[in-house]
Amino acid sequence: MNEVVTRIDQITGTGLLFLQNMTVLIITIVIGLIIGLFGLKLVRVWAAFVGFLLGAAAGGGIARTAELPEMASVGVMLGGALLMAVLACIFYKAGIFFYMIFQVTGLCVLITKMSTLPVLGISLALGLITAVVTMKVFDPLVIIVTSVSGGFLMGSAAVSMVGLDENILAVIVAPVVLIILCMCVQFIMRSRQVGRKQEEKADAKKLQISRETEVEKARMLLDDDDLEESEDVFDYDDDDDPEDELEEPAGSDPETDLEEDEDFQIIE
């Protein structure tokens, strides 16, 4: 009887361990999928997450230094975490700077499966360099790093789920394929987003030009009306012809007048 109970406990324990492992793998795949496909779109989320961790660590350090009670320490840690999460979400580029350091460092450790001091130092240096370059070339590097991270997590978890951990080809090919797929999807989404922004700018420009054209037409109409009013003010009467004033009076003969004038008589 005792043997039966022991056997049942072993089977139950193995089943629970299997379910726990499967749950962890499924959660890992989901997280990798979100990071790999929506890395650029969710930059504020990643920044807030890193800010939360940094704030919690800073709050814990302050609480330990001040030797606060347990509940007070928890409050300080939670307050610092929430404050840093909000600040990192607002100033998301600063949060992404630290996110890149953590992400690249963690990827290097996971890929090499080594946590020695030289590996950690090299990984941290690569993460710092990547973070600095990301501030200059933001979108492409965020896409590349999140695609690599998400694809690697999904591929590794999927390989473990189907029991191909010992197959070197599957361990290499599955993450690489998923990394390339995630990268293509993110770059396509980014190009579409850029295209939509350009279309919106073009439509706004067309609308501005159309408004300027309407204003110009209205101004020209007003100028034409003013010109017509000016012509009406300075219009002459057709009957008042200045040439009429130059006509000689009727009955006047220039030769007769000349003969009658003594000064102009011809001496015979």
Side-chain angles (χ1 to χ4, degrees), residues 140-233:
L141 270 181
V142 170
I143 289 175
I144 291 171
V145 172
T146 53
S147 297
V148 172
S149 178
F152 181 79
L153 288 177
M154 283 190 294
S156 300
V159 169
S160 298
M161 185 179 291
V162 296
L164 295 176
D165 295 332
E166 303 299 328
N167 192 328
I168 301 299
L169 185 62
V171 171
I172 295 175
V173 171
V176 170
V177 171
L178 290 173
I179 287 170
I180 295 173
L181 180 62
C182 292
M183 205 174 295
C184 291
V185 171
Q186 285 207 65
F187 274 112
I188 290 172
M189 289 193 297
R190 179 179 177 273
S191 63
R192 289 181 178 178
Q193 184 179 6
V194 171
R196 285 195 297 269
K197 289 182 178 180
Q198 290 179 349
E199 289 179 359
E200 291 175 358
K201 289 182 180 179
D203 293 339
K205 187 66 176 178
K206 290 179 180 178
L207 181 60
Q208 182 181 0
I209 293 173
S210 176
R211 289 177 179 176
E212 291 177 354
T213 303
E214 295 296 330
V215 171
E216 184 66 20
K217 288 181 179 179
R219 188 184 66 81
M220 292 177 65
L221 290 175
L222 291 175
D223 291 343
D224 292 340
D225 293 340
D226 294 339
L227 183 60
E228 291 177 359
E229 291 177 359
S230 300
E231 291 177 353
D232 292 340
V233 171

Side-chain angles (χ1 to χ4, degrees), residues 18-95:
F18 175 77
L19 290 176
Q20 290 175 356
N21 290 335
M22 289 297 294
T23 303
V24 171
L25 291 175
I26 292 172
I27 293 173
T28 302
I29 291 174
V30 172
I31 294 174
L33 182 66
I34 294 172
I35 295 174
L37 295 181
F38 306 101
L40 183 61
K41 285 185 172 295
L42 300 178
V43 286
R44 294 185 183 272
V45 176
W46 315 133
F49 176 72
V50 173
F52 185 88
L53 295 179
L54 292 176
I62 293 172
R64 182 174 296 180
T65 303
E67 296 182 354
L68 297 176
E70 183 177 354
M71 293 301 297
S73 299
V74 172
V76 171
M77 290 178 63
L78 184 59
L82 292 176
L83 178 61
M84 288 298 295
V86 172
L87 291 176
C89 184
I90 295 173
F91 305 100
Y92 67 95
K93 285 193 174 182

Side-chain angles (χ1 to χ4, degrees), residues 4 30 32 38-39 66 69 88 104 112 129 137-138 145 189 191 207 213 238 246 250 259:
V4 173
V30 172
F38 306 101
V104 174
T112 58
I129 293 171
V137 189
F138 191 82
V145 172
M189 289 193 297
S191 63
L207 181 60
T213 303
D238 294 337
L246 300 177
E259 292 177 355

